[in-house]
Amino acid sequence: MSGQEPFIAAVKPLVDAIGGELLPPDEAGPDDVVLAWDGVDAVGVRLPQLADSLDHILAAMERRRGMPLADLDRRAKQEVVRVLEARGAFAVRHGVETVASALGVSRFTVYNYLNREKEG
């Protein structure tokens, strides 16, 4: 069992980044992912709901930029929307509203940013 700790430590930042949860493999449910190491189940990963993932992604973007997304200039907000669209953020129910709130803009503005990308 002790050989698995480095593996678990290695995957923890990824699981944290997506807003997941580590759990013992024998507690994993049918919707969880069990990761094996050297042929032995090492750890279960409970994936977040998509809406929770979006909140987690937005929080990580704020941490990376060192400021609230609402404080960014227009060009930086457009870049955030571009990145989020590439990550599927707008396929999530209420994704546009969630992003608009985080950016401190209207839904209409987010749609304009999205349409600008499609035209350009």
Side-chain angles (χ1 to χ4, degrees):
M1 186 85 154
S2 64
Q4 296 173 348
E5 277 83 13
F7 173 71
I8 294 169
V11 299
K12 186 175 183 336
L14 173 62
V15 173
D16 289 346
I18 63 170
E21 175 187 349
L22 295 175
L23 53 136
D26 59 341
E27 292 180 18
D31 293 332
D32 298 328
V33 178
V34 176
L35 303 176
W37 184 251
D38 285 338
V40 177
D41 289 347
V43 66
V45 178
R46 180 151 299 147
L47 299 171
Q49 298 298 313
L50 285 175
D52 295 338
S53 290
L54 180 54
D55 290 336
H56 209 78
I57 290 166
L58 290 166
M61 292 178 99
E62 283 191 342
R63 282 193 305 276
R64 241 179 270 124
R65 292 179 181 267
M67 68 172 67
L69 296 178
D71 292 348
L72 299 174
D73 64 25
R74 183 176 54 85
R75 179 166 283 147
K77 288 179 182 181
Q78 289 171 333
E79 175 62 24
V80 166
V81 168
R82 228 182 340 267
V83 168
L84 291 171
E85 182 179 30
R87 294 183 73 176
F90 301 110
V92 175
R93 185 174 182 191
H94 302 298
V96 170
E97 292 87 346
T98 301
V99 171
S101 176
L103 293 175
V105 299
S106 68
R107 291 179 330 166
F108 180 75
T109 299
V110 172
Y111 284 119
N112 278 342
Y113 291 168
L114 289 167
N115 289 334
R116 181 169 289 125
E117 282 305 303
K118 288 176 179 50
E119 293 167 2

